[in-house]
Amino acid sequence: MPRPARPALLLAGLLAAAGTAHFVAPRQFDAVVPEVLPGSPRAWTKASGVAELALAAGLAIPATRRASAQATALFFAAVFPANVKMAYDWRDRSTAAKTLAYARLPLQVPLILWARKAARTEQ
């Protein structure tokens, strides 16, 4: 049985805010782009911002919600290496900063599960 669209719309809001942040304050995102990726960190920051905004739009539109939610789950898995890099890079920072960086690592799991739940919402 389809579920109400609220989880998908809340996730769309989160992604829209995150995507916007990639353009408003890109330096913080540039810093976590793994060096193994080709091209400049800023290009990856912009690309991930565009992806988040596109995923948000797709989640907001009933006809594209399911596919967008599935793509969102994959996106959350794909950006996990950036969170690992951040945790590694911040290993010598303050306890509060390290806690923040390490707390982001397991956060990917509920985000992926949230996206999967959004895929099962009403069209």
Side-chain angles (χ1 to χ4, degrees):
M1 170 178 249
R3 298 178 185 174
R6 189 166 192 251
L9 297 176
L10 290 172
L11 185 55
L14 175 74
L15 284 165
T20 301
H22 280 71
F23 294 96
V24 174
R27 285 182 22 182
Q28 66 184 3
F29 298 100
D30 294 348
V32 298
V33 174
E35 290 89 7
V36 299
L37 293 175
S40 72
R42 182 60 53 93
W44 285 101
T45 295
K46 289 179 179 180
S48 61
V50 167
E52 287 173 330
L53 291 170
L55 291 168
L59 286 166
I61 300 168
T64 59
R65 185 168 293 142
R66 183 181 186 100
S68 294
Q70 292 168 342
T72 298
L74 292 173
F75 177 81
F76 286 145
V79 299
F80 183 72
N83 292 344
V84 171
K85 180 184 184 307
M86 179 180 171
Y88 180 79
D89 289 348
W90 288 22
R91 68 191 181 282
D92 295 325
R93 292 196 180 185
S94 69
T95 300
K98 284 190 284 193
T99 300
L100 174 68
Y102 293 132
R104 289 180 57 136
L105 296 175
L107 182 62
Q108 294 306 113
V109 173
L111 287 172
I112 291 168
L113 293 175
W114 186 3
R116 291 183 52 156
K117 182 178 181 176
R120 297 185 306 271
T121 61
E122 291 179 7
Q123 296 293 319

